[in-house]
Amino acid sequence: MDNRVRELREAKGLSQGALASEMGVSRQTINSIEVGRYTPSLPLALSLARYFGTSVEEMFG
Amino acid sequence: MTKRLLRRVAATYLASGLAIALLGGLHHAWLMLLIGVLLVGVGMVTTLTDSTRAYGRALGVYLAVAGATLLAVGALQRSWWSTAIGSALSVLGVLTAWGKAEMTSLVRGEMDERRRRAASHAVGVGFIAVVWWIVVVGLASGVHGAPTAVWEAGIAVGLAGALGDYALVLRRI
């Protein structure tokens, strides 16, 4: 699934580990989401969208 | 648990494991050697964190080499327990190195939603492996029945299936 997680994370100057720590998941999970291997649950997608100040549709649409 | 305490626990495992393995090796006490090798492995797993991928690979290589050594020693001495545990350790080591040790998250209890999904799948696969084992052994042994050890081996088959599947799913998702 194409998404903008990497783009938004890099714009904020965050590492995958730092974002993972903010979201309460593992670094590997953030990496899997970024490369489109893993589709996050709705609560995690909402947390990511809220953290980056955007909507789920904009992030994962 | 704090990082400092974890380091102390790991150091204790590593030191006692090495001492026991060394004593076991010197006295040709293979069970002692095996326990030492396993304790060193537990110590290495305890020191692992998500950020140490190279260390995770090293742990996998260690387990694979230790397993292969046990397998060879077991085969030479016709000790089938050592051979079986050596084979299991080798497979575990290869899977750990291949998955950059992420499968040790199961032991460390560091689960998140992706890992829980993989674990849930793995439990299903382990259960199916045990069911198939029971069916196949039951059919193959016929009316005479199979020795108890063959039925007990089903537990190892189920565990191996579940662990293998956990590593595979983690690589896929």
Side-chain angles (χ1 to χ4, degrees), chain A:
Chain A
M1 179 194 261
D2 284 341
N3 62 70
R4 295 178 57 216
V5 177
R6 183 182 296 259
E7 177 195 330
L8 292 167
R9 174 180 62 78
E10 286 176 349
K12 266 205 164 196
L14 285 170
S15 66
Q16 286 183 341
L19 179 59
S21 170
E22 289 288 338
M23 295 296 117
V25 295
S26 64
R27 185 195 53 75
Q28 289 93 332
T29 296
I30 295 295
N31 183 56
S32 277
I33 293 170
E34 285 185 358
V35 297
R37 265 204 318 263
Y38 176 68
T39 308
S41 66
L42 187 58
L44 179 55
L46 282 169
S47 297
L48 282 166
R50 203 170 295 137
Y51 183 76
F52 289 117
T54 180
S55 65
V56 173
E57 291 85 350
E58 259 187 57
M59 245 183 141
F60 295 97

Side-chain angles (χ1 to χ4, degrees), chain B residues 55-110:
Chain B
Y55 189 65
R57 279 223 174 97
L59 169 70
V61 171
Y62 166 78
L63 286 176
V65 171
T69 311
L70 265 175
L71 199 156
V73 169
L76 281 174
Q77 301 212 329
R78 293 182 184 276
S79 158
W80 302 119
W81 269 111
S82 299
T83 313
I85 294 169
S87 316
L89 268 183
S90 306
V91 173
L92 200 66
V94 169
L95 285 174
T96 305
W98 179 58
K100 297 164 199 159
E102 201 187 352
M103 69 182 292
T104 60
S105 58
L106 204 60
V107 185
R108 288 176 288 137
E110 289 176 3

